[in-house]
Amino acid sequence: ESKGFKEFAILNNTKPSSKVKISADITPISCLQDQWATIGVSFFFDNRNFWHVALVRAPNELKGEHHFEIKEMRDNVWLANHQDGLKCEKTVYGKLWEFSKKYNLSVSTDGKSIEGEVRDENGKLLFSERWIFPSPDLSGNGKAVRFGVPAIHIAGGFRGIVSSVKASVEGEVFTQ
């Protein structure tokens, strides 16, 4: 349950890497506040730099719509992947999520791109997107979060059940 804007649960004993995978079964229960709310899996460096794959609930003024997303916060700028013109190579978008149903969310990165997926409890693909990281400039900077650890991300008063968490960092497997 999230009482604040951004909360993360970081898997124990993981070290930051550019090669991270995490998946978790997530059952959304409710939202306690009328604001943007998300629950999902994250490629997390810190509260100002992360990617997440999430179930999203819009505020009531936007009819409380439910959708999926993979988005980046970089240097505390939300939607940095759009602002920096990162290339979205693949998008699959199916039906929307519902409260009290279980979904499997995953995010993986190989240092060159990041991909997120959402599947229903029967394994049917509902959402998939892959973003390509830009080539570094002469100073070695490429505008994208490329280094982090696996985490669970919850925000905006979302309530949900998280189970079957599986992660790997540089090929080393972790479960909780």
Side-chain angles (χ1 to χ4, degrees):
E1 179 177 309
S2 166
K3 293 182 172 57
F5 182 67
K6 293 185 284 195
E7 297 181 35
F8 294 89
I10 299 167
L11 273 74
N12 293 331
N13 303 317
T14 55
K15 297 176 184 171
S17 173
S18 62
K19 296 178 181 172
V20 172
K21 294 180 183 179
I22 182 171
S23 68
D25 289 341
I26 297 177
T27 306
I29 303 300
S30 66
C31 289
L32 302 175
Q33 302 167 12
D34 179 26
Q35 62 184 10
W36 288 102
T38 61
I39 186 169
V41 294
S42 181
F43 176 58
F44 173 84
F45 184 75
D46 60 27
N47 281 341
R48 299 171 41 93
N49 296 279
F50 63 89
W51 287 85
H52 80 180
V53 175
L55 308 178
V56 181
R57 182 195 176 273
N60 289 339
E61 67 187 46
L62 298 173
K63 301 178 184 171
E65 291 180 350
H66 298 182
H67 64 273
F68 309 108
E69 69 180 18
I70 179 171
K71 300 295 181 203
E72 178 191 32
M73 177 174 282
R74 188 184 47 73
D75 296 330
N76 211 35
V77 174
W78 186 236
L79 305 178
N81 51 319
H82 296 286
Q83 293 183 13
D84 292 335
L86 272 65
K87 181 183 174 192
C88 182
E89 186 176 85
K90 170 182 101 169
T91 300
V92 173
Y93 208 94
K95 74 174 204 166
L96 303 179
W97 65 268
E98 299 175 40
F99 282 114
S100 301
K101 292 195 174 183
K102 186 187 293 186
Y103 300 90
N104 181 269
L105 283 72
S106 65
V107 65
S108 62
T109 179
D110 60 7
K112 297 176 184 176
S113 65
I114 190 163
E115 184 167 3
E117 290 186 349
V118 178
R119 294 180 180 273
D120 69 14
E121 58 191 340
N122 297 316
K124 180 180 177 188
L125 183 65
L126 302 176
F127 172 80
S128 178
E129 247 179 44
R130 180 175 34 246
W131 290 83
I132 307 303
F133 296 149
S135 297
D137 61 21
L138 294 176
S139 64
N141 295 321
K143 290 186 176 182
V145 175
R146 302 169 183 252
F147 200 67
V149 296
I152 302 298
H153 180 217
I154 187 168
F158 223 123
R159 293 182 65 226
I161 299 167
V162 178
S163 61
S164 301
V165 178
K166 297 176 189 143
S168 67
V169 177
E170 297 280 340
E172 186 177 352
V173 176
F174 301 85
T175 58
Q176 284 188 323

